[in-house]
Amino acid sequence: MTWTSAVACGHRGALGHAQTVATWAAHADCEGVAQLDGWQVGIDAATADERTAIIEALARIRKAGLPLSSALVRLVTRNDVPPCSVLLANGEQLAAVAWGRGLALLELGNWEYAVGSPADDDQVWSPLSVGTVVDLDQCGPTRFTLPCPHANT
């Protein structure tokens, strides 16, 4: 069976079976997702101007053809990125960075995962510390942490 990934909004994305991802993405509280040359992009930032600046930086990075997690590392290490969280999906993988805004990881099922802002539900979310990049693919999650100037905000 093939896994798929999707970003549902600025604070929610999933990787898993197509039905799991579709169910997870179908929530009324989710806003639109930016499309960037085959990538779905969800950004949680304080202002629309900040979100626009992040999309513009990602558009430049997208041209390099990097894997999702590498693109996020380049985004936060080579740009002045405000406190935010960014989710990227390409249909096969999902990557996210908690860059001063909280994110958490949730196991939806056997090797199926969601990443986003923890919901008020009975599911067990694993918080990601500030500066954490998480890369989800069919082999499961890989996490690594970068020094983040927003760690104390």
Side-chain angles (χ1 to χ4, degrees), residues 4-15:
T4 188
S5 67
V7 172
C9 60
H11 65 277
R12 179 179 218 131
L15 172 91

Side-chain angles (χ1 to χ4, degrees), residues 82-152:
C84 64
S85 63
V86 181
L87 290 78
L88 295 178
N90 64 5
E92 296 175 4
Q93 295 178 306
L94 175 69
V97 63
W99 201 249
R101 294 244 180 188
L103 284 177
L105 184 64
L106 174 66
E107 187 169 352
L108 297 171
N110 192 21
W111 297 103
E112 296 180 290
Y113 295 91
V115 65
S117 299
D120 291 329
D121 55 27
D122 60 354
Q123 297 174 313
V124 179
W125 291 83
S126 299
L128 302 174
S129 61
V130 174
T132 299
V133 177
V134 63
D135 188 352
L136 301 174
D137 63 22
Q138 293 183 32
C139 296
T142 301
R143 300 179 219 192
F144 52 96
T145 304
L146 303 169
C148 179
H150 312 297
N152 296 324

Side-chain angles (χ1 to χ4, degrees), residues 32-98:
V33 174
Q35 300 293 324
L36 189 60
D37 192 26
W39 285 357
Q40 294 177 328
V41 182
I43 301 169
D44 183 10
T47 69
D49 288 343
E50 289 176 347
R51 287 187 292 279
T52 298
I54 292 167
I55 289 286
E56 289 171 356
L58 281 170
R60 292 187 300 272
I61 293 167
R62 177 71 174 112
K63 293 176 184 173
L66 298 171
L68 299 179
S69 58
S70 297
L72 290 175
V73 170
R74 185 172 287 187
L75 172 70
V76 299
T77 59
R78 296 189 182 180
N79 297 276
D80 184 20
V81 179
C84 64
S85 63
V86 181
L87 290 78
L88 295 178
N90 64 5
E92 296 175 4
Q93 295 178 306
L94 175 69
V97 63

